[in-house]
Amino acid sequence: MLRTREKRGAGGSHLPGAGVAEPPGRGPTVELRQRKKLKSSENKESAKEEKISDTPIPEKAPKHVLFQRFAKIFIGCLAAVTSGMMYALYLSAYHERKFWFSNRQELEREITFQGDSAIYYSYYKDMLKAPSFERGVYELTHNNKTVSLKTINAVQQMSLYPELIASVLYQATGSNEIIEPVYFYIGIVFGLQGIYVTALFVTSWLMSGTWLAGMLTVAWFIINRVDTTRIEYSIPLRENWALPYFACQIAALTGYLKSNLNTYGERFCYLLMSASTYTFMMMWEYSHYLLFLQAISLFLLDSFSLEQSDKVHEVYKIYIFSLFLGYLLQFENSALLVSPLLSLVVALMLAKCLQLNVKKGTFIAKIMKVINFYLVCILTVTLNIIMKMFVPHKENGHMLKFLEVKFGLNMTKNFTMNWLLCQESLQAPSQDFFLRLTQSSLLPFYILVLIICFLSMMQVIFRRINGKSLKETITLEDGRIGGRPEIIYHVIHTILLGSLAMVIEGLKYLWTPYVCMLAAFGVCSPELWMTLFKWLRLRTVHPVLLALILSMAVPTIIGLSLWKEFFPRLMTELMELQEFYDPDTVELMTWIKRQAPVAAVFAGSPQLMGAIKLCTGWMVTSLPLYNDDDLLKRNENIYQIYSKRSAEDIYKILTSYKANYLIVEDAICNEVGTMRGCRVKDLLDIANGHVVCEEGDKLTYSKYGRFCHEVKINYSPYVNYFTRVYWNRSYFVYKINTVISFQS
């Protein structure tokens, strides 16, 4: 509960023998030689040599031009780094104001970590308590002190590599003598968010050619932070650790795809892309799905932009390397072997080997492109099926079932599936989401930029299909922004991400940051305005001059309007002192630490169990994790305490997991849900057959009342199985009797 306090030149070719005088008295001798037929590779090499020899040697730029370039790069880099640092400091200050963090005791601070975030931070604490790093890793990989009757490899199952790295850095840097562990932990996450913003800044800068686009990207990102990041609600989430690395990979890939990149820049982008791709894959268990969408975008880019084929296949090699290295270092994680990313990349490699060397632009080449597209699709599906047949895996089968129900392909009464469908983050975006993006002017400019880039891209593609030759270097006067490979990639990628975000709202955190980046790039790019003027056939004003003026005037106007409207709100948020107030949970955790036996096992809702594991260290029966079938089944069984089941049934379920204490939450038992049929007790009634949906949710006869209500009354047979030992306004704790005494 939050409550607000009132305080507050050109070179010619040189021919051998040219200019040599002939002997007097003799005519010119003609020497006939038979030219050997060059091989295709020799043809390519000679063509490259001819191209190099025909390329004019650029003159050395004047000193004042070099100084201007250096000043532009220096100011842009300074602005990018400053933006990232300021955003990280803003997050730290806002977090302090929101929770009054520095004035809280350790227990009250830990309660602010909710659900699965509490589990991640608890393992960070365990690593710091371990006598050595090796011992700590061993205890996490053979963990039998978290979930009763279950030994888990927590590092693999929960992707705890961020916690391992954070614990090593905390002890290796001597920070244990300077800063508390919780501040070091959240400080790293806030720092990564600063890198996230910096990477988006650089990406927009690389695409537009001006660092003003980066500044506008950062402004839109911060203003729309409710829809761009979940850092305010759940700091230790895997995506908060992973997405900054993905943003760095996107920035490196953008630079790598540019046509005018020099050798050193290309090599730097390649190395950065390799490192960030692998790190991203290690930080988040769902990272390979996002890379799969990126691989599809690159495949379509390869199909549309013939000049980038070699670069795209180098990126495929990075995927292969990262997948297999991740497989080995993630305890032979079979999910990476059966991932669609691996199947797609292998299919693309095989299709490239099967391609015929035909002349570009011919009818046969066009047919081969179509055949290649279908070949890749068929090979990808076939390889994925084969891998799943021979590689034992448990790759998120519940996700496929969820998607079937989500799209109406199947119906189910399963509690877990219906509970997931009721989660707000897994539903379609609300109108408020689009309204917020429109009020900040982000959505209108994004749609404008996307339409212009997409139409220009299609125009270039049709020209290539028709066999028309295109200039290798695109100038501003050409007005053809859709011919740049990095633009084609970003247009395809944002359309794919946007299509998913329109179905599942939780994916907006992947899409909205790149909406900020793409919209800022567009309004700051003279090339985009020039493309629009070419279509409009503007003649009254010089189009190039007008494009340059608009590329500076429009972002300046947008920036000033955003500053005037939203900057006072941001300052108000920082000045407003709030307080996280949850005394009932604090009292519950204090009672457990003082009164409950060390070997006790607690049962209750998964979200509460995560908090108990973090705050007390006691063993629990379930966890708020949804990537393990056994844990999902446990969660459903424990939730039966809110169903209309008998005391004996509940007792058998709890004792099967060796539970000693049961915690009933009044908020769940007496829940008044805003969405019809999505309360936990309603979903349990549907799963247990206690509700007939076809008859207007009419309750059928049940000889048992709802357990969470009946157990509070303290009459037989409930008192025979359960003894109340603690209660407050929110929680009721019952000891599960080992010896049943039947009372009248």
Side-chain angles (χ1 to χ4, degrees), residues 62-78:
K63 289 185 177 180
H64 70 277
V65 175
L66 292 176
F67 178 77
Q68 287 178 355
R69 292 177 182 174
F70 174 78
K72 179 182 177 181
I73 294 174
F74 177 78
I75 294 175
C77 292
L78 182 63

Side-chain angles (χ1 to χ4, degrees), residues 397-425:
H398 62 282
M399 288 181 59
L400 296 177
K401 296 177 182 177
F402 165 76
L403 292 176
E404 288 180 0
V405 179
K406 174 75 176 177
F407 294 111
L409 302 176
N410 196 359
M411 295 291 292
T412 181
K413 292 184 177 181
N414 181 269
F415 169 79
T416 302
M417 288 297 105
N418 290 327
W419 184 81
L420 289 174
L421 285 170
C422 285
Q423 299 304 301
E424 184 178 353
S425 61

Side-chain angles (χ1 to χ4, degrees), residues 526-596:
E527 200 172 351
L528 182 130
W529 295 107
M530 190 63 196
T531 303
L532 180 61
F533 297 154
K534 275 280 187 178
W535 293 342
L536 298 177
R537 297 183 180 180
L538 185 67
R539 299 184 186 276
T540 54
V541 183
H542 197 283
V544 175
L545 179 61
L546 185 59
L548 291 172
I549 294 174
L550 287 178
S551 65
M552 297 184 66
V554 172
T556 302
I557 294 172
I558 295 173
L560 291 175
S561 62
L562 293 178
W563 178 278
K564 181 179 180 181
E565 182 176 355
F566 292 98
F567 183 75
R569 299 184 189 180
L570 296 177
M571 291 299 99
T572 302
E573 289 177 351
L574 290 181
M575 296 301 296
E576 185 180 27
L577 185 61
Q578 297 178 338
E579 178 182 357
F580 185 80
Y581 187 71
D582 192 0
D584 293 343
T585 304
V586 173
E587 292 173 4
L588 173 65
M589 301 303 168
T590 304
W591 180 87
I592 292 174
K593 295 174 72 173
R594 292 178 179 176
Q595 302 295 330

Side-chain angles (χ1 to χ4, degrees), residues 197-477:
V197 165
T198 301
L200 292 174
F201 184 110
V202 172
T203 305
S204 187
W205 181 13
L206 286 171
M207 294 172 66
S208 63
T210 171
W211 51 265
L212 284 176
M215 297 292 290
L216 187 57
T217 300
V218 175
W220 265 328
F221 183 92
I222 297 176
I223 289 170
N224 296 281
R225 71 186 187 280
V226 175
D227 302 304
T228 55
T229 178
R230 273 194 283 213
I231 189 69
E232 295 181 13
Y233 311 105
S234 302
I235 294 177
L237 284 182
R238 302 299 85 180
E239 63 188 65
N240 293 333
W241 287 89
L243 289 180
Y245 296 102
F246 185 61
C248 292
Q249 193 252 17
I250 292 285
L253 179 59
T254 302
Y256 185 69
L257 292 175
K258 290 177 72 71
S259 301
N260 58 349
L261 194 66
N262 58 44
T263 305
Y264 296 105
E266 186 175 304
R267 193 171 299 169
F268 172 76
C269 289
Y270 183 83
L271 292 176
L272 177 59
M273 184 167 45
S274 302
S276 54
T277 300
Y278 171 70
T279 309
F280 174 57
M281 195 171 292
M282 294 291 290
M283 291 291 172
W284 196 18
E285 60 180 320
Y286 299 116
S287 59
H288 57 90
Y289 291 113
L290 196 52
L291 291 175
F292 172 67
L293 293 178
Q294 187 183 76
I296 294 176
S297 304
L298 291 173
F299 166 56
L300 296 176
L301 167 65
D302 187 19
S303 302
F304 300 147
S305 180
L306 302 176
E307 292 81 5
Q308 297 297 316
S309 180
D310 293 337
K311 287 187 176 182
V312 169
H313 283 275
E314 288 298 321
V315 180
Y316 295 158
K317 294 177 183 178
I318 294 176
Y319 291 151
I320 294 282
F321 174 78
S322 300
L323 281 168
F324 280 105
L325 189 60
Y327 169 75
L328 294 176
L329 296 182
Q330 290 183 4
F331 307 93
E332 298 183 355
N333 185 6
S334 60
L336 297 180
L337 294 182
V338 299
S339 67
L341 174 63
L342 180 60
S343 301
L344 175 62
V345 173
V346 172
L348 289 167
M349 294 292 189
L350 292 175
K352 183 184 179 183
C353 296
L354 296 175
Q355 281 181 350
L356 297 176
N357 187 17
V358 295
K359 188 177 180 181
K360 297 176 182 178
T362 62
F363 178 75
I364 298 177
K366 298 173 185 176
I367 296 297
M368 287 302 300
K369 276 290 180 183
V370 177
I371 295 175
N372 179 68
F373 183 82
Y374 284 103
L375 180 63
V376 169
C377 296
I378 294 172
L379 280 175
T380 301
V381 176
T382 304
L383 288 172
N384 194 253
I385 293 174
I386 292 174
M387 291 296 291
K388 289 184 176 180
M389 288 175 58
F390 291 97
V391 177
H393 68 285
K394 295 180 180 179
E395 176 51 10
N396 299 318
H398 62 282
M399 288 181 59
L400 296 177
K401 296 177 182 177
F402 165 76
L403 292 176
E404 288 180 0
V405 179
K406 174 75 176 177
F407 294 111
L409 302 176
N410 196 359
M411 295 291 292
T412 181
K413 292 184 177 181
N414 181 269
F415 169 79
T416 302
M417 288 297 105
N418 290 327
W419 184 81
L420 289 174
L421 285 170
C422 285
Q423 299 304 301
E424 184 178 353
S425 61
L426 296 177
Q427 296 176 8
S430 62
Q431 293 181 354
D432 294 338
F433 167 62
F434 299 103
L435 183 61
R436 288 192 298 268
L437 297 187
T438 303
Q439 288 175 342
S440 64
S441 73
L442 174 59
L443 190 59
F445 282 108
Y446 167 75
I447 294 174
L448 173 66
V449 172
L450 182 62
I451 290 175
I452 295 175
C453 291
F454 180 77
L455 292 178
S456 180
M457 180 187 77
M458 297 305 296
Q459 187 179 26
V460 172
I461 291 171
F462 282 128
R463 285 181 179 178
R464 285 182 176 146
I465 292 175
N466 294 330
K468 294 181 180 180
S469 60
L470 299 173
K471 294 171 62 176
E472 291 186 2
T473 56
I474 301 173
T475 61
L476 178 59
E477 290 80 3

